[in-house]
Amino acid sequence: MGFFDYFISALFLQAGYNSALVAIGAGLLGLSAGSAGAFIFLRKRALVSDAISHATLPGVGLAFIIMVAFGSDGRWLPGLILGSAVSSAIGLLMVEWITRKTRLTEDAAIGAVLSVFFGFGIVLLTVIQTMSSGRQAGLENFLLGSTAGMLISEATTIAVAGALAAAFVFLLRRPMTLVAFDPEYAATTGVNVRNIDLAMMGLALIVTVIGLKIVGLILIVALLIIPPVAARFWTNQVGKMIGIAAVIGGLSGYIGAVLSAAEASLPTGPIIVLVAFGFFLISALFSPLRGGLASALRHQRFQRRVHRRQGLLSLARREPIYDGLTIRILRRAGMIRADGVATARGRIAAEKAARDEARWAMARRMLSDDSAIERYDGLTPIERMMTPDQIAEIDRMIQNAQAAKGAKA
Amino acid sequence: MSNAKLVAESGKILDVAAKDAPLTVRGLTVSYGNKPAVFSVDASIPAGSMTAIIGPNGAGKSTFLKGALGVVPRLSGEVRIFGKLFEDARDRVAYVPQRASVDWDFPARVIDVVLMGLYGSVGLFRLWRARHREQAMDCLKRVGMVDFADRQIGQLSGGQQQRVFLARALAQNAEFYLLDEPFAGVDAATERAIVSVLKELKAEGRTVVCVHHDLSTVAEYFDRVLLINVRRIAEGPVKTTFTAENLQETYGGRLATTHIDELHLA
């Protein structure tokens, strides 16, 4: 069976019970990472989660040594997860403590904690390599993740923990939204900001330690942050953003695990992250809401509307038009001839634009508090934003103003 | 004699009526680092009043509010809200922070921000119902922002953002409103809209406190003032407390005598 055939069959869970379970586990891990990461991204604390993930390494090493010392298998996953959770919790609390108690900023605290813990962890791994039972431990797989030879019990543990973490995110969505948007206001409404922040980072910690086996500690931060960043392009609502981030994270984990299972030499973590990056790229370019392409098109369309309006107003005032783009747009619309003189159609459109401008000017004077005035972009015809009665009233006021001016003259 | 005066003279609350005042502060000190931003401030805000907190830039006006609400840690001092600890009177208080304190590119629509004001009453687990949305829309109507309900908050002007913050506070249906510089950098239409909402609140018997910058509108908008420059300078009704002498003491050399003359004070 070729790589592609295997990939397709694995994608639809047809490549054996074991790899199906691994893919589902990775999918649920991605789901929890994407949704928890959404709040970490909104709270602007992506780097803290990086410190958390690097701080897991000494815990992995120490847990292995302790388990071997007690005569059991050092590779028992729940034990390693527990050890990594303890050491990354210590790392997290140290970052928090340094930021709160010293004058160091959070980024300095993160840099210090991250590198010291990671360095200590690497030293421990090297020591383990020299132990008789450590040579085959494969602990270095915790750096970049691997699904090769994963036990069914391990995959189940990851899947259940991932689903639980995602449920926890759902329960805490309101206080976490409030704290991410406006912590001071949140504090006055009875939300304990510090506890919610700790819960948020606790979620990052849970996702990190259950993701150690599949994604690895170096890249888990990417699975926390890339899905919400990609999701942000698609929506302006926090609830939808979390949902989309969860879906992107879940798909990344699932597809990435399947891909790396299809070709055993591919490390799982980097593949999952690259799949997530693919989703990011698609979102950044093609989202109709905030994507680059749509933004560029919207900007171009707006620019053309501005030029057209400017050109028509110049025609109405019988002023010459110099701007090349304005001339091209009016020419293409059949408003002016090649020599710049307005066509019959152009004269009508110019008159209408001038009348619209005059009506808006009067409307601004009459209704300074009206929300239509505040929504006016300088281009929309007044008929689209006001009732015929309102416009008739505006016209009456314009006539009165003109009559008054005439009387004065 | 006003309650505030009694507090000021003795440092203790003498009047029984003041005991359940919306806000009673004694000896509030808040510091950033080793420099007090607010030092030993006493204040007592009577129910149903509209108070302006006035003072020069960096005088600790916003810090006073935040310290009173526990948003920033207090170094010393006691605060009572309706005679209770803030924790026990939270649902009677609504706070409107400075507009600049949040990231307006946050993924939220106008209606979502107003709904945040209902988090307290809806609770952690229940889902939004049509009733909540209606409540939020009513609050938007009061600040003239109904047409903007589905806009992303980043697309609003500064004045519109301020009105959304006010609508969120209205959704809390509190008895005591504390606003931090609600008129800073807003357009004239917004200022009128906010003032009329605040006057409605007062007419309903609620209490309003604003950190305020514009001395020329104090007498028009408010009935009481609290003058702060790190220390409390004076507190009381606008008529008797908003005087040239007190302003000079609050602002020192920063306020030219001609400015004070232009205010036409009593």
Side-chain angles (χ1 to χ4, degrees), chain B residues 177-199:
Chain B
Y177 285 82
L178 300 105
L179 299 88
D180 197 349
E181 302 255 16
F183 304 115
V186 304
D187 52 288
T190 296
E191 180 149 344
R192 279 195 296 277
I194 293 175
V195 167
S196 86
V197 170
L198 296 184
K199 295 214 157 154

Side-chain angles (χ1 to χ4, degrees), chain A residues 112-282:
Chain A
V113 168
L114 183 151
S115 45
V116 168
F117 273 70
F118 190 66
F120 182 44
I122 292 289
V123 169
L124 282 177
L125 285 198
T126 317
V127 170
I128 289 168
Q129 287 292 315
T130 65
M131 290 163 55
S132 56
S133 57
R135 227 154 282 153
Q136 306 296 317
L139 288 190
E140 65 282 354
N141 279 340
F142 282 91
L143 295 179
L144 291 173
S146 163
T147 52
M150 197 164 165
L151 302 174
I152 286 177
S153 66
E154 293 176 343
T156 319
T157 307
I158 291 166
V160 170
L164 282 177
F168 195 42
V169 172
F170 180 76
L171 284 182
L172 285 179
R173 70 196 185 283
R174 275 183 199 145
M176 288 201 296
T177 303
L178 207 48
V179 168
F181 175 58
D182 194 347
E184 290 186 351
Y185 174 81
T188 67
T189 61
V191 172
N192 187 324
V193 176
R194 189 156 171 249
N195 286 354
I196 292 296
D197 269 337
L198 278 177
M200 208 184 277
M201 297 331 288
L203 275 167
L205 193 153
I206 292 168
V207 169
T208 302
V209 298
I210 61 176
L212 279 182
K213 182 87 183 174
I214 294 180
V215 180
L217 64 93
I218 293 179
L219 290 176
I220 189 77
V221 65
L223 196 58
L224 282 163
I225 297 309
I226 295 176
V229 172
R232 183 68 186 92
F233 285 104
W234 297 95
T235 178
N236 279 327
Q237 284 168 257
V238 83
K240 286 186 184 162
M241 190 190 125
I242 294 156
I244 296 170
V247 169
I248 290 177
L251 284 176
S252 306
Y254 185 82
I255 296 172
V258 167
L259 272 175
S260 83
E263 175 58 61
S265 60
L266 291 177
T268 316
I271 297 296
I272 289 177
V273 169
L274 286 178
V275 173
F277 177 70
F279 281 112
F280 166 80
L281 216 55
I282 292 167

